[in-house]
Structures are given as C-alpha cells and as structure tokens.
Amino acid sequence: MARGALLEAYDILQQVADREDGALDYLRVLTLARLGDTDRALKLYEAYGLAERQDVDALSLQARLLKDKGFASSGRERASVLAESCRLYARVFRRTRDSYPAVNAATLAWITGRAALARQLARAVLANAGVQAASDYYGLATAAEAKLVLGDFAGAAASLEAALAAPDVDAGKRSTTVLQLQRLEPTIPEREAIGPLLALVRPPSVASYCGHIFLEDPALEADLRVRVDQALAKENVGYAYGSLAAGSDILIAERVLARGGELHVVLPVAEEDFVAQSVAPAGGAWAERYRACRAQASSLTFSSTMSHVGGQGQFAYGAKVAMGMARLRARHLNSRAVQVAVAETADASGTLTRSDIRAWQDTGGASIIVEADGIRRPPKPPGPAAESDVGRGTHGLMFTDFPGFARLDERVLPTFQVEVMARAGAALDRNSNAIRYSNTWGDALYVVFDGALEAARTSLELCEALKSIDTQALGVREGAAMRIALHFGPTYWGEDPVTRRTNYYGTEVSRAARIEPVTPPGSVYVTEPFAAVLEMEAEHSFMCNYVGQVDLPKGYGTFPLYHLSRRD
C-alpha cells in the first residue's frame, strides 16, 4: 500500500485466512476504497462489523466510503451523500477529538457550501496540539488541507513541503492527498493556486516504454543513457511497464532500475519465443542483460502465453496491454501516465515502435521521444517453422451461460427461449455492427467483437436486459441471471470445416471460456488484458474493479480478474 501497489496489496490480504483479525479487515476495506470499488467496500465494511470497533480509523473509514460514493454520484444524491459523510466525520471528531476526521469534515463542509462551518473546523484542526507538533506525513498534510480551507495558500505549500520531507512519506499517502486536492480544486476561488500544490505532492509518474531493437553499440548507448535519464528525471518516473526486447527496451528498463524505480515486465508471447524473436537475434550481451532486468523486475506478466505464430500482431497486442496496465497503475496512484520511447528520427512510420507511439497519442497520452540516429538493427529472425496463412486478428471475446439451465423442467424450455435467449438476441442485435461472430448452444453464447469497448457495452446491456426475466415462469429463484466473461486477445479465424461458417478459435478463446464458470450470476468478469485495453480507449463510461487472483477450472491456472460495471 505504501508503494501504491493496490492490486498486490489486495492479493496479499486475500491470502490471509484469519478473517477475525480486525486490523486486516480494515485494510481489506481500505484497499478496495483506494481501488475505487466503493460498493464492495461498503458491503464488506458492514459484513466485518467495523463500525462496532468505535475507533477513529474504523469510524472514519465509513465516512470516507460515503464521501467516495458521493463524489461518484451526481445531482441531489451527490449533495445528500456528501452532507451525510460530512456529518459522520464531524461526529467522529466530536467523539475522538482527532484531527483526521476534523479536516475531512472541514473540506466536505467547504465543498458543500458551508463555509462558516468549514473554517470553524479548520481552525480546530490547526489548534490541535498534535497537528502543531506534527512531524509525520499525515499530520503535516492535515495542516496543509486546513490552511487551504482558510485561504492560506503559502502556509499550505509550506506544510506540504514539510510533509514530503517526513520520514514516513510514501507514494500511497501522497496519492490520497492528491485526491483531496483534486476534489477541493473546483471549489477554491483561487484555483490557480492548487495546480502547484498538486505538482508538488503528486506521486512519481508511471511510464509505458518502447523502442527499436538494435545491436550493441557502446557509443550510442552512452549517449542514449544520458538522454533517457534526463527524460525519466524530467517526468519523475517511478514505475515503468513494457517488454524487454534487446536495445531500447532493456536500456530504458536498466535506467528505471538505476534510479530506484519499479520495473513491470509485460511479455506478449511465451518467454522462450519472445527471447528467440526479440533478444537473441541482437547477440552480444543482450540475453544476459535481459535476465538481469527480469530478475530485478517487480512483476512479470504475460499478455498471452501462446507461442509466436508469425508477424507483429502479437507484439502490438502485448504493447497495448502494457500501455493499459501503466494507465491503470497511474489511476490507482492518482498520478500521471507518460510514454517514454526511443525511436529513429527518420523512422516516421511503418515500425512497431511508431505504431505504439501513435496508439498512445491517439488516446490522449503524452510521449517523450528520445531520438536515436544511426542505430544498427539485427537481422530479422526466422518466423515459426510452420507459419500459418489462416486469418489472424485481435478481438473482444465473450462467453456466457445461465446457471441451472440443465435442471430446468422440459416444459419451460420454450419459455426460456422467450424470456432469456430472445432478450439476449435483441441485445446483440442492437450492437450487431460491432459483432464479427456469434453462436449459441442451449443457454450459452459465444460472441466475437471488433474491440473491448464494444464488448463491454454489449455485455452490460445484456445484463440489464435480463434483469426483467420472469423467474417464476421459469421455476428458478429470484435473481437468477446470466454470468458473462470477457477477454481481449489474438485469435485465428477461418471457415469451420464442419459448419462451413467462419469461426474464431485459439488459445485466448480457450482462456475466455474458462472465466465464465467462475463468474457470479448477474456479473461480468473480465481479464487483466481486457481491463488494460479498455483503459486505452480515449473515452468510455466503464469501470474495471479488481476481483483478485482466481483459480480457473480444469487446471487452467490462476489469473487476475476484474468486475466490469458502468461509471455512475
């Protein structure tokens, strides 16, 4: 949590079997809150009975969850929930005299237009002996927020500078302050004063990195190291996501590690094939440097574990997943995502690196391009021994089924076709322009979409369409619903020799099919590649909330999954 690695923190907490430990229960709910999964956090807060603890942390967490819910709402609901959160924070302050609920009550009172109450609470915060003597991060940041409410911008800046020098400062704490400042900013008349404060306290940036493969060249690398270091320092990069191809990738990864940053490696295909295609052909010491970076990486993710089947499509897919993962991490940190690329000046188009740069920029991202003239590229490695000429593409994949279908009475199956499958068909018809393939058998659907955005939209429309089914007519319990699984990945496509229709198949199709059985009825679960690719869409109205590491059936392995929903 100190590193802002919220997904990792959640996984660790889920591995702890002792749910009777109140401190761990508190951390589970807090982690979900920081991940933005407010609804699930509220449910667990109640289930764990945290309100019964009556300590300042547990009581303040309930107010914080209401605050998050309010900011995710609009109109009257927003005003009502934020006011309730303010009242709860104030109540906790009166009971405990703690400065943390007091400053939160002050900021919420200011945001909801109760300036007099806000100033009264802010003065109480600054009069607190603990705040006056504070040398820890949160104590100093609390003073800064109180000073902001009172219009003392110079004092707020001084307190934040002191907080950043505190011995317990970390990225996780800084991210919470950034969120507070962002929420305050629209309500401060001198809005221009908030920008410098945000820049001061914002956690290190998250970089998505890429670049050309090249042969070892000591003179070129010496120059590139200096300029890559300058780019990383200018953007204050603390986290980096990308692959480890020879040349640019490894050089950038080494420089991130040298400055004490976190390296997160994302490989597009099976590791043996990746090394054969992207590391070994460059010769020299690149293979040794690859192993060194891999050993120091904070994580290793495979966007796909399939073999390389030829061409650049799998590598472009892997790069897009890495870009999306960088943006997800930046969102969790309330920080900035930036792309760092090494590219030849003369290479304006036509390479995978330039394609990656365009993909990042086309979705609103800023790129820092380190020009590299005179690089020598290795010979193109041979393709797979039996490279196929069957069609290949990267698509959104959906599998669904209706739990309990096999136990339905034979007499209600025609009703099932009307109540469930006809509604499903209508939802697919409304999105037919984005559907490349669909099939059904019994209660199940298999649908292939152009992209992740279309798959997300259709799956949630399908969920909504099935909320009104007549469960009594079907003889099933109230709330029975489809379970829907989504993945995004490369597939083969071509004529099915049995049906004589175009079909889509491959390793990633099998992965998508394995997710559906572990999805709760009425929910949509998606893979991490799907969540990452969805994050690369310029604009969308969906949320992917982390579920955790889930064991898939039939020994398929353990994979991180997310719950898909609409943003309020």
Side-chain angles (χ1 to χ4, degrees):
M1 292 185 76
R3 291 167 33 229
L6 299 177
L7 304 184
E8 186 180 344
Y10 184 79
D11 287 341
I12 292 170
L13 288 165
Q14 290 300 93
Q15 293 168 12
V16 181
D18 182 10
R19 290 183 176 270
E20 299 302 317
D21 187 327
L24 295 180
D25 290 343
Y26 168 81
L27 286 176
R28 286 188 188 95
V29 178
L30 179 61
T31 303
L32 287 174
R34 290 189 180 182
L35 281 166
D37 197 349
T38 307
D39 288 343
R40 190 151 59 115
L42 280 166
K43 290 175 182 176
L44 286 182
Y45 184 92
E46 182 177 349
Y48 292 155
L50 290 178
E52 299 169 8
R53 284 175 41 179
Q54 299 298 308
D55 64 81
V56 65
D57 287 339
L59 295 174
S60 296
L61 181 55
Q62 183 181 23
R64 183 249 166 88
L65 292 172
L66 286 176
K67 178 169 66 173
D68 291 342
K69 182 179 179 180
F71 277 109
S73 306
S74 58
R76 292 181 179 178
E77 181 184 4
R78 177 189 179 99
S80 173
V81 176
L82 290 180
E84 176 59 26
S85 174
C86 181
R87 285 192 291 271
L88 182 53
Y89 270 127
R91 194 180 310 140
V92 177
F93 168 58
R94 288 194 297 271
R95 179 182 301 178
T96 65
R97 309 311 296 177
D98 191 278
S99 60
Y100 174 76
V103 78
N104 279 280
T107 56
L108 279 173
W110 181 268
I111 289 168
T112 55
R114 302 164 70 188
L117 175 60
R119 293 189 183 100
Q120 177 187 348
L121 287 164
R123 292 189 188 99
V125 169
L126 295 177
N128 182 286
V131 171
Q132 292 178 355
S135 60
D136 64 301
Y137 178 87
Y138 274 136
L140 292 162
T142 294
E145 291 175 28
K147 290 173 182 177
L148 269 180
V149 170
L150 294 171
D152 180 6
F153 301 110
S159 292
L160 282 180
E161 288 173 353
L164 293 173
D168 64 334
V169 63
D170 60 50
K173 291 171 182 172
R174 290 168 66 177
S175 71
T176 63
T177 302
V178 169
L179 184 59
Q180 280 282 76
L181 295 178
Q182 288 173 335
R183 288 170 169 175
L184 269 171
E185 185 176 21
T187 68
I188 300 290
E190 302 86 349
R191 290 185 62 178
E192 67 279 359
I194 303 296
L197 300 181
L198 281 168
L200 179 68
V201 76
R202 183 174 283 118
S205 299
V206 184
S208 167
Y209 65 89
C210 62
H212 296 305
I213 297 176
F214 57 78
L215 299 173
E216 285 185 317
D217 184 333
L220 172 66
E221 289 188 50
D223 174 61
L224 286 177
R225 282 192 197 97
V226 172
R227 290 190 288 131
V228 168
D229 283 346
Q230 290 172 343
L232 296 174
K234 180 182 178 183
E235 298 299 326
N236 189 25
V237 171
Y239 315 87
Y241 289 75
S243 73
L244 281 179
S248 303
D249 284 1
I250 290 178
L251 188 144
I252 295 172
E254 289 172 340
R255 303 322 299 161
V256 169
L257 291 169
R259 60 184 276 111
E262 284 186 14
L263 174 65
H264 297 270
V265 177
V266 183
L267 298 185
V269 293
E271 186 170 18
E272 182 180 354
D273 284 7
F274 176 80
V275 171
Q277 291 293 314
S278 300
V279 181
W286 288 119
E288 181 181 343
R289 292 165 71 176
Y290 167 88
R291 289 190 291 271
C293 288
R294 186 192 187 286
Q296 296 178 75
S298 296
S299 70
L300 172 63
T301 300
F302 290 89
S303 57
S304 172
T305 55
M306 70 169 61
S307 304
H308 178 235
V309 298
Q312 294 294 309
Q314 291 167 284
F315 294 89
Y317 163 67
K320 195 169 186 179
V321 170
M323 293 180 207
M325 290 179 68
R327 287 184 172 173
L328 283 169
R329 182 65 179 279
R331 179 156 59 82
H332 295 158
L333 281 165
N334 293 308
S335 187
R336 181 170 180 261
V338 64
Q339 183 183 59
V340 177
V342 173
E344 284 186 291
T345 308
D347 176 37
S349 62
T351 66
L352 185 58
T353 294
R354 286 294 174 180
S355 175
D356 291 344
I357 293 171
R358 284 195 303 274
W360 182 265
Q361 293 177 345
D362 287 348
T363 51
S367 299
I368 309 300
I369 302 174
V370 178
E371 305 288 357
D373 292 325
I375 66 173
R376 295 179 299 123
R377 303 190 190 187
K380 185 178 180 180
E387 186 171 341
S388 173
D389 59 358
V390 175
R392 293 281 295 174
T394 308
H395 307 293
L397 307 169
M398 180 171 80
F399 278 88
T400 82
D401 86 337
F402 192 92
F405 173 78
R407 296 188 297 274
L408 290 180
D409 189 289
E410 179 75 12
R411 292 168 293 183
V412 306
L413 292 183
T415 304
F416 180 86
Q417 290 295 311
V418 173
E419 285 294 321
V420 177
M421 300 309 286
R423 294 174 193 269
L428 297 183
D429 286 343
R430 289 192 293 273
N431 295 277
S432 59
N433 290 342
I435 294 175
R436 305 178 70 92
Y437 171 84
S438 60
N439 197 3
T440 179
W441 48 95
D443 61 325
L445 296 172
Y446 167 38
V447 186
V448 180
F449 297 87
D450 287 332
L453 186 62
E454 297 86 356
R457 181 175 59 245
T458 305
S459 66
L460 291 179
E461 286 186 17
L462 181 56
C463 274
E464 291 156 8
L466 295 178
K467 284 180 179 178
S468 56
I469 62 174
D470 188 344
T471 53
Q472 186 173 0
L474 291 173
V476 296
R477 62 177 177 78
E478 189 71 26
M482 283 276 196
R483 50 192 181 195
I484 302 175
L486 297 177
H487 179 42
F488 185 89
T491 71
Y492 287 113
W493 60 269
E495 183 183 271
D496 187 311
V498 175
T499 65
R500 302 301 179 185
R501 294 177 57 202
T502 298
N503 197 2
Y504 289 76
Y505 57 96
T507 302
E508 299 307 308
V509 175
S510 299
R511 194 203 301 201
R514 295 293 183 271
I515 299 162
E516 170 266 308
V518 300
T519 303
S523 296
V524 181
Y525 272 13
V526 306
T527 61
E528 189 163 66
F530 186 98
V533 170
L534 190 61
E535 195 71 16
M536 284 295 293
E537 296 289 344
E539 294 182 6
H540 65 84
S541 57
F542 304 104
M543 284 283 291
C544 293
N545 288 316
Y546 191 53
V547 173
Q549 298 282 341
V550 179
D551 294 328
L552 302 189
K554 300 184 179 179
Y556 199 78
T558 303
F559 293 88
L561 297 181
Y562 294 71
H563 176 259
L564 181 73
S565 61
R566 293 190 188 278
R567 295 186 193 275
D568 196 313

